[in-house]
């Protein structure tokens, strides 16, 4: 089974802090994604990466950056956390072979910025 | 860019009732379509997917969905719901041949009353 693991289930951070959310997948997937999930808005794509050191902006990249130094790990960075970044953050991964594949999700990190 | 609309934000049904959740997408090309489910406190998991072939696809737990290309729709159905189907359901789409941009709808919360 594919496993996508996010390092924390719950995080509480102060406004202005630099925050790191970590995600690891164990199936050698090329693609990795970061979404945020908010009630009534569904999942919105922040960033995705299709290879090591490669990244592309999603729909809502402002205030975030990402890092992918190794294939299995994809980090989301909040440069200076703000209260409007309080949300559930979901990491996902998928294969690129044939490109007709589904994404597998981690269990999410609920971030509260106070 | 593609987009996904889920018309029902919250659906409440009694056990044994039939279910149909609407999903429409906007993209003129060939697409892959997905339904994901998120049970309370759990991670997102794939319910079913359509890549090509028979437009009626069957998924886990008795769910099925029908792809109607002329209507840009991919509605989810279940003939008889159970209390354990209480969850949030998300429709998602990506362009065939491109796993990178997976776009989600806003989700439908299904509550099944015992």
């Amino acid at each position: 089974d594919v496993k996508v693991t996010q390092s924390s289930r719950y995080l509480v951070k102060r406004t202005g802090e630099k925050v790191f959310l970590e995600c690891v997948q164990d199936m050698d997937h090329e693609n990795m994604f970061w979404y945020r999930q908010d009630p009534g808005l569904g999942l919105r794509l922040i960033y995705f990466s299709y290879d090591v050191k490669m990244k592309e902006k999603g729909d809502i990249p402002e205030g975030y950056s990402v890092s992918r130094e190794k294939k299995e790990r994809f980090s989301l960075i909040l440069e200076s956390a703000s209260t409007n970044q309080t949300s559930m953050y979901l990491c996902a991964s998928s294969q690129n072979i044939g490109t007709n594949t589904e994404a597998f999700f981690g269990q999410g990190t609920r971030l509260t910025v106070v | 860019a593609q987009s996904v609309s889920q018309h029902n934000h919250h659906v409440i049904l009694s056990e044994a009732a039939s279910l149909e959740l609407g999903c429409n997408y906007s993209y003129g090309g060939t697409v892959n379509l997905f339904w994901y489910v998120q049970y309370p406190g759990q991670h997102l998991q794939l319910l079913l997917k359509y890549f090509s072939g028979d437009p009626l696809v069957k998924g886990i737990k008795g769910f099925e969905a029908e792809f109607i290309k002329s209507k840009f729709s991919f509605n989810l159905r279940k003939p008889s719901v159970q209390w354990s189907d209480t969850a949030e359901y998300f429709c998602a789409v990506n362009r065939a041949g491109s796993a990178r941009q997976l776009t989600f709808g806003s989700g439908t919360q299904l509550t099944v009353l015992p």
Side-chain angles (χ1 to χ4, degrees):
Chain A
D1 278 353
V2 173
K3 193 167 185 182
V4 180
T5 304
Q6 295 181 230
S7 53
S8 305
R9 286 295 300 270
Y10 301 94
L11 274 179
V12 180
K13 296 293 181 180
R14 295 194 181 277
T15 301
E17 275 193 77
K18 190 169 186 176
V19 181
F20 293 86
L21 303 184
E22 306 287 346
C23 175
V24 177
Q25 51 94 2
D26 65 359
M27 284 300 290
D28 203 36
H29 283 171
E30 292 80 10
N31 301 321
M32 295 189 75
F33 308 82
W34 276 106
Y35 290 88
R36 64 177 281 177
Q37 182 181 8
D38 300 289
L41 297 177
L43 277 71
R44 293 178 292 166
L45 182 64
I46 304 171
Y47 269 97
F48 65 93
S49 169
Y50 50 91
D51 202 348
V52 175
K53 296 189 187 293
M54 305 305 288
K55 61 186 179 184
E56 286 191 21
K57 293 179 180 179
D59 299 318
I60 51 164
E62 295 78 19
Y64 303 94
S65 61
V66 291
S67 173
R68 192 161 180 206
E69 297 296 321
K70 294 184 178 181
K71 190 175 186 180
E72 67 271 18
R73 186 179 296 272
F74 192 36
S75 303
L76 179 69
I77 304 156
L78 286 66
E79 298 291 343
S80 176
S82 64
T83 54
N84 63 13
Q85 293 179 309
T86 291
S87 186
M88 172 70 85
Y89 290 87
L90 299 178
C91 176
S93 72
S94 70
Q95 277 185 310
N96 219 24
I97 298 172
T99 69
N100 286 337
T101 69
E102 69 266 27
F104 296 86
F105 283 83
Q107 58 197 96
T109 297
R110 185 165 294 282
L111 172 67
T112 302
V113 182
V114 298
Chain B
Q2 66 267 26
S3 64
V4 180
S5 297
Q6 290 183 243
H7 316 297
N8 313 103
H9 296 295
H10 195 178
V11 172
I12 302 173
L13 295 172
S14 298
E15 275 193 317
S18 64
L19 170 72
E20 181 160 2
L21 300 183
C23 172
N24 287 89
Y25 67 93
S26 65
Y27 179 66
T30 305
V31 294
N32 302 321
L33 296 154
F34 308 86
W35 276 98
Y36 282 84
V37 60
Q38 188 174 36
Y39 298 103
Q42 296 189 25
H43 65 278
L44 269 166
Q45 53 188 288
L46 185 70
L47 205 52
L48 48 78
K49 60 189 178 187
Y50 172 81
F51 291 150
S52 62
D54 188 344
L56 184 63
V57 294
K58 296 190 184 299
I60 60 172
K61 304 186 181 186
F63 286 90
E64 64 179 31
E66 185 175 12
F67 171 48
I68 303 179
K69 190 174 181 180
S70 60
K71 295 185 178 181
F72 298 89
S73 70
F74 190 56
N75 292 354
L76 181 70
R77 299 194 294 247
K78 187 172 184 179
S80 176
V81 295
Q82 301 173 312
W83 176 78
S84 57
D85 293 325
T86 294
E88 191 158 18
Y89 294 80
F90 294 92
C91 183
V93 61
N94 66 14
R95 301 174 191 180
S98 173
R100 298 173 184 177
Q101 281 283 1
L102 181 61
T103 302
F104 284 81
S106 55
T108 297
Q109 175 64 47
L110 172 66
T111 300
V112 180
L113 304 175

